[in-house]
Amino acid sequence: MSQSIIDLSGNWRLSSLDDATQALMPIPGDVHTALKNAGLIPDPYFGRNELDLRWVAEQDWQIEQDFVLEDAGGDWYLDITDLDTVATVEINGEVVLEADNCFRRWRPDVSRSLRTGENRIRILFHSSIREGADRQAKQPFFVPYHEGNSPIPNGNMLRKPQCHFGWDWNIAIAPLGLYGTIALKKLEESRIESVAARQTHTADGVDVSVTVTLFAKFPGTTPIFFSFGEDRVRLDMGLRPGENTVSHVFHIDAPKLWWPSGSGEQALYELAVEIPSETVIRQIGLRQVELLTDKDEAGSRFAFRINGREIFCRGANWIPADALYSLTSYEKTRDLLQSAVDANMNMIRVWGGGFYEADWFYDLCDQMGLMVWQDFQFSCNLYPSTPDFLENVAAEVDYQVRRLITHPSIVLWCGDNELVGALTWFKQSIENRDRYLVSYDRLNRTIEQALLKAAPDALWWPSSPATGYMDYGDAWHADGSGDMHYWSVWHENKPFEDYRKVRPRFCSEFGFQSYTSLPVIRTYAREGDMNIASPVIELHQKNVGGNERIAATMFRYFRFPEGFASFVYLSQIQQALAIRTAVDYWRSLKPHCMGTLYWQLNDTWPVASWSSLDYGGGWKALHYVARRFFQPVNVAAIPSEDGSEIRLSLVNDTMDDVTVSLSLSLLSLNGERTELKRLDAVCTPDAAVIATTVAASEIPAGSLLAWSFTASNGMGGEGHHVHGTYKSLDLQPAGLGLDVQPAPTGGYDLTVQSAGLALYVMIESETPGRFSDNAFDLAAGETRRITFTASDPAAAEPSFRLYDLQSCS
């Protein structure tokens, strides 16, 4: 059988242009990791090595590979995805491609450059730093970028992940490489360019219209098979040179619908399109999605309706899984996404400064029921609007939308992240707003038009945050309409109570930092660096003033911790307290507010940040607490504005009535629990109600209000409320004890006992793994049984350390 596809992935020869530096580079992969694995550079993530590695991105690199072609006759093309970024591709010394967009698929005809027998392919990666400067110099006017986010300048000139140039949570090393596929393919009679599916839901079922685009070089005819579920049909399609489209409609009488996690099943159908030389398979979820922006007394709504039912969106923002592509994997990403689901999330926002993720990423979201808010990849800068740039963007959008549009998880396409706000950040755009506003509008319109041309039914939102379509006003703290980014608590050092001064319709960004967990810090810092002011710890804090803000907040709410380990622990507790304060209140506003997506789910490298998951996937305190405050049925304490009473808010995101049995008690500082009252409360589907109120005067000085509840659907939980600050409490040593036994089913059973009051008990292990619960409270004489499952079942027996609020200070 003759060759028709030659997979060119695998080991390539990497070298500097003068051949002074050489290594093997696996493709897919990146240059930095290849150099590190060859021992030519140190680990970029360790210590302060980042500062010594800028030279890698300042020069050009080349990779080469030889391959054998049995017969060079016929029509051949290269198929390349995720080529980062400005690169020249040569075959046998002839240039076959000049690429300059990491987000496009490149398929150049290379027939004339091939020969039977030995061939050599070479990719020259041009320095992104130099290319950015060159392209900036060619602009008709200067296009500003956010210097605080991008210590490497002019990244906004290039269509590559913007966080590669830095960010206030990412390492700034401007990596380059090839992260997708590279193959040599023979063009038979045709190839599949894209597969799209449009759904029409009626009382009689669902019609799925499948449209396939084929590319042919010459006129001809090809059979094409459509399969959906158990149905299979054949069409014979006439071809003309260029693109050809053909459609077929499948009718499903009794459709199984796709629902977000927590709202129903994630039913998926297999769609297959087959031609003689190729088969494309997609998983299709039958669902209807609407974005509700109708006017109301407060302004206009921002809510998602799935299959006729409004869904409160609980989730977080997603950034790339690693700063270096070679360190990512399907397994690591699946674990991060599973952690989101395990914390009762039903939505993630793929933020606009990273990647359009791989197909399997969205497959996982489809299977897990994670709705995806998909940003186009523009963030926090201004961008060119020259014809060549816009043409490149239009091609990028067309490819990405056609690639991803069949995924039921993607419910919204958003034009950018914070570009409207960026118009007010730079001296140039402030002084000449009209010029830069028109430039932004050209870009935004290009994205919108390319999206709707590729997918007419796609839901479009112009920017995040935004108050509405064609509105260029300040949406940052707009309570009445659209989505909000609320950053005053972190960036302006406002108290946590400030979260209760805004009433968002949908808060798509808000956050508070903490340090990454101590076992993770030990992977990049030596014992002598374990100080918040050490150069290594400061370098692993990318937000200017971040360490000072963490410390200042501790002074506001807590007694200052003793020792570095306690400081790390307490930073995570106050992060959890901050985000819980916001989510509890905003969920209580339902249906005025219909979504909270905190910043951020994950980290790209080990760093102090806003994430709830450590680099590597471990759960910080926030993630354990998020699993509670994102539970579909939850009870939370909401103080009144004047502080005279505490309202116990009951929220129900399920489709059924729930009855909650609620028990309120007082906790003394020595851990004694005194019952205050018991009651049953009812909440209708998709609603929030006040279950009961407690007057602040009922809580004696030195006591805490505590509660526990059990819902009729089996959910339950507990919590406490401090009327004042934690630093005002004269907490006593709790006398915590820990018993560890191997669990019969693997892992370890941990029993935590307390002789007194222990708040935010946190168990830590140097062995990576997950606890069944963490950051919990114990009263005097109470115990809690926790299971620990190591990430590696073959790991040595772990040791454990206990923290609580009193012991850290």
Side-chain angles (χ1 to χ4, degrees):
M1 184 176 180
S2 63
Q3 292 172 298
S4 59
I5 299 177
I6 299 177
D7 185 356
L8 297 175
S9 63
N11 284 327
W12 290 51
R13 299 181 298 275
L14 167 68
S15 64
S16 55
L17 299 193
D18 61 4
D19 286 329
T21 306
Q22 299 184 26
L24 286 179
M25 178 171 165
I27 295 297
D30 65 86
V31 171
H32 285 80
T33 303
L35 294 175
K36 181 191 72 172
N37 290 343
L40 299 173
I41 64 171
D43 180 356
Y45 296 175
F46 188 82
R48 305 180 75 214
N49 290 341
E50 172 191 357
L51 302 178
D52 299 325
L53 296 177
R54 183 68 59 85
W55 65 271
V56 176
E58 290 175 341
Q59 67 181 52
D60 295 347
W61 296 88
Q62 60 187 353
I63 57 173
E64 293 180 315
Q65 189 188 77
D66 297 327
F67 63 93
V68 175
L69 188 59
E70 295 173 357
D71 182 1
D75 297 304
W76 293 85
Y77 65 96
L78 276 176
D79 195 349
I80 308 176
T81 61
D82 303 284
L83 179 58
D84 185 14
T85 285
V86 182
T88 301
V89 183
E90 300 174 356
I91 293 181
N92 298 323
E94 296 182 11
V95 175
V96 297
L97 174 66
E98 295 283 5
D100 66 346
N101 190 324
C102 184
F103 308 128
R104 289 177 62 178
R105 184 180 194 178
W106 304 100
R107 295 203 272 194
D109 188 325
V110 298
S111 305
R112 296 182 180 180
S113 302
L114 296 171
R115 54 188 178 226
T116 301
E118 291 280 344
N119 292 263
R120 176 166 294 181
I121 181 170
R122 172 179 179 260
I123 301 178
L124 171 62
F125 295 103
H126 301 280
S127 165
S128 295
I129 295 177
R130 189 180 63 251
E131 285 290 333
D134 290 347
R135 294 183 181 214
Q136 181 72 267
K138 295 175 183 176
Q139 293 299 311
F141 49 85
F142 180 74
V143 183
Y145 60 91
H146 194 303
E147 294 181 359
N149 283 335
S150 303
I152 299 177
N154 301 312
N156 56 335
M157 296 293 104
L158 302 179
R159 295 308 301 137
K160 84 181 249 99
Q162 297 295 276
C163 64
H164 279 181
F165 300 93
W167 232 260
D168 53 3
W169 39 261
N170 198 31
I171 189 171
I173 53 177
L176 60 163
L178 200 165
Y179 315 136
T181 59
I182 179 166
L184 183 66
K185 297 182 178 180
K186 190 172 186 179
L187 179 62
E188 305 293 352
E189 72 279 355
S190 64
R191 70 184 181 215
I192 297 175
E193 294 288 276
S194 63
V195 175
R198 300 177 71 177
Q199 303 177 22
T200 303
H201 292 245
T202 67
D204 297 326
V206 178
D207 288 329
V208 179
S209 177
V210 181
T211 299
V212 180
T213 301
L214 302 179
F215 174 83
K217 197 167 185 179
F218 302 103
T221 303
T222 188
I224 180 169
F225 294 88
F226 293 82
S227 301
F228 191 89
E230 298 180 355
D231 294 337
R232 179 177 170 87
V233 298
R234 168 178 172 160
L235 299 176
D236 291 310
M237 181 180 182
L239 300 172
R240 63 179 185 277
E243 289 195 349
N244 304 261
T245 61
V246 60
S247 298
H248 179 75
V249 177
F250 292 93
H251 179 77
I252 299 91
D253 286 319
K256 298 179 180 179
L257 298 182
W258 182 94
W259 287 93
S261 177
S263 296
E265 298 299 315
Q266 288 76 56
L268 294 169
Y269 294 78
E270 182 175 282
L271 167 66
V273 176
E274 180 183 351
I275 60 176
S277 60
E278 185 180 6
T279 300
V280 171
I281 297 176
R282 299 281 188 265
Q283 58 183 19
I284 303 294
L286 302 180
R287 59 100 176 102
Q288 292 177 290
V289 56
E290 304 166 79
L291 177 62
L292 307 179
T293 59
D294 45 299
K295 301 282 187 185
D296 63 11
E297 66 282 356
S300 58
R301 303 197 65 209
F302 192 100
F304 289 91
R305 181 186 287 156
I306 309 295
N307 301 328
R309 182 189 161 212
E310 291 187 28
I311 303 289
F312 191 99
C313 299
R314 309 180 302 266
N317 285 258
W318 171 271
I319 60 176
D322 207 289
L324 292 171
Y325 174 84
S326 297
L327 303 182
T328 65
S329 70
Y330 173 89
E331 291 75 19
K332 291 178 182 178
T333 300
R334 180 182 60 190
D335 181 67
L336 295 172
L337 293 175
Q338 186 62 55
S339 289
V341 175
D342 291 346
N344 290 308
M345 297 185 190
N346 60 15
M347 175 178 273
I348 57 169
R349 174 180 174 233
V350 177
W351 168 77
F355 287 95
Y356 306 91
E357 295 289 341
D359 294 288
W360 50 259
F361 174 95
Y362 301 95
D363 286 340
L364 288 168
C365 292
D366 295 341
Q367 295 157 17
M368 295 178 180
L370 280 172
M371 294 180 285
V372 175
W373 169 315
Q374 178 66 55
D375 279 2
F376 288 98
Q377 296 305 300
F378 302 86
S379 184
C380 293
N381 297 313
L382 301 185
Y383 290 88
S385 59
T386 52
D388 59 330
F389 189 86
L390 296 182
E391 181 181 354
N392 201 357
V393 167
E396 166 191 324
V397 172
D398 181 77
Y399 164 62
Q400 294 293 346
V401 172
R402 290 181 189 276
R403 177 174 73 93
L404 300 174
I405 194 59
T406 56
H407 288 283
S409 55
I410 301 179
V411 297
L412 186 70
W413 298 82
C414 179
D416 61 70
N417 175 75
E418 299 183 356
L419 264 59
V420 175
L423 290 167
T424 68
W425 298 347
F426 308 108
K427 180 176 183 291
Q428 296 87 347
S429 55
I430 292 172
E431 293 179 350
N432 198 338
R433 180 174 171 83
D434 288 350
R435 166 188 282 177
Y436 289 94
L437 179 58
V438 169
S439 180
Y440 167 75
D441 184 59
R442 287 175 177 169
L443 173 64
N444 193 253
R445 287 287 291 165
T446 296
I447 298 169
E448 179 185 12
Q449 289 170 355
L451 164 68
L452 297 180
K453 180 180 179 182
D457 296 334
L459 288 183
W460 159 258
W461 189 245
S463 181
S464 183
T467 55
Y469 305 102
M470 298 302 292
D471 189 337
Y472 298 101
D474 179 12
W476 292 84
H477 298 168
D479 287 4
S481 305
D483 72 309
M484 176 192 292
H485 291 189
Y486 190 71
W487 280 106
S488 291
V489 171
W490 173 254
H491 286 299
E492 299 173 31
N493 202 25
K494 300 284 188 181
F496 297 165
E497 293 77 15
D498 230 54
Y499 285 124
R500 302 191 193 106
K501 294 182 179 179
V502 294
R503 297 169 56 87
R505 308 312 301 260
F506 192 111
C507 199
S508 48
E509 269 194 36
F510 63 102
F512 198 90
Q513 270 201 2
S514 72
Y515 287 98
T516 191
S517 299
L518 190 61
V520 178
I521 294 174
R522 290 197 174 105
T523 67
Y524 68 79
R526 298 180 175 90
E527 286 302 316
D529 299 318
M530 301 296 179
N531 185 293
I532 62 170
S534 76
V536 168
I537 298 301
E538 287 192 335
L539 185 68
H540 286 250
Q541 165 61 272
K542 295 300 184 179
N543 186 240
V544 175
N547 289 349
E548 296 94 321
R549 207 164 293 126
I550 292 173
T553 303
M554 285 186 188
F555 275 120
R556 177 180 289 155
Y557 292 108
F558 302 96
R559 299 187 183 188
F560 211 66
E562 294 183 2
F564 184 72
S566 293
F567 191 92
V568 171
Y569 155 78
L570 190 54
S571 77
Q572 292 197 9
I573 297 304
Q574 73 174 9
Q575 177 192 33
L577 179 60
I579 305 307
R580 190 190 71 191
T581 300
V583 172
D584 283 350
Y585 177 61
W586 294 339
R587 286 189 75 189
S588 78
L589 301 178
K590 181 180 180 175
H592 175 88
C593 176
M594 286 299 291
T596 61
L597 309 180
Y598 65 72
W599 186 271
Q600 66 213 56
L601 179 68
N602 56 304
D603 273 333
T604 58
W605 72 308
V607 67
S609 83
W610 300 266
S611 71
S612 61
L613 295 176
D614 280 321
Y615 177 69
W619 288 29
K620 292 183 181 179
L622 169 56
H623 211 79
Y624 287 102
V625 174
R627 183 170 58 186
R628 299 171 204 149
F629 64 59
F630 274 153
Q631 188 173 231
V633 176
N634 193 39
V635 173
I638 312 292
S640 61
E641 189 172 345
D642 62 3
S644 63
E645 63 181 17
I646 296 91
R647 300 160 183 161
L648 278 300
S649 170
L650 167 59
V651 61
N652 175 20
D653 287 349
T654 75
M655 300 174 67
D656 302 307
D657 289 343
V658 295
T659 299
V660 165
S661 296
L662 179 61
S663 174
L664 279 72
S665 59
L666 298 174
L667 278 176
S668 68
L669 295 185
N670 62 11
E672 294 180 356
R673 191 184 295 275
T674 304
E675 183 174 301
L676 190 60
K677 60 179 171 179
R678 293 177 180 267
L679 67 138
D680 288 340
V682 177
C683 190
T684 55
D686 286 322
V689 298
I690 301 300
T692 189
T693 61
V694 176
S697 58
E698 294 182 64
I699 306 173
S703 292
L704 290 71
L705 175 66
W707 67 91
S708 62
F709 73 93
T710 302
S712 53
N713 64 0
M715 296 180 187
E718 61 187 14
H720 73 258
H721 172 74
V722 173
H723 192 61
T725 62
Y726 288 96
K727 68 181 181 181
S728 67
L729 303 177
D730 288 323
L731 296 172
Q732 304 301 310
L736 289 173
L738 179 66
D739 178 69
V740 180
Q741 300 291 333
T745 57
Y748 297 87
D749 287 332
L750 286 66
T751 302
V752 186
Q753 314 100 24
S754 183
L757 178 62
L759 301 178
Y760 299 116
V761 177
M762 193 83 180
I763 317 171
E764 179 182 272
S765 174
E766 294 290 335
T767 301
R770 185 183 301 179
F771 297 92
S772 59
D773 197 10
N774 229 333
F776 52 85
D777 302 334
L778 291 173
E782 294 182 347
T783 63
R784 185 71 57 97
R785 184 173 177 180
I786 305 295
T787 59
F788 175 78
T789 305
S791 301
D792 179 5
E797 182 175 346
S799 60
F800 300 97
R801 176 174 177 173
L802 286 176
Y803 299 87
D804 78 312
L805 205 56
Q806 188 279 330
S807 66
C808 79
S809 59

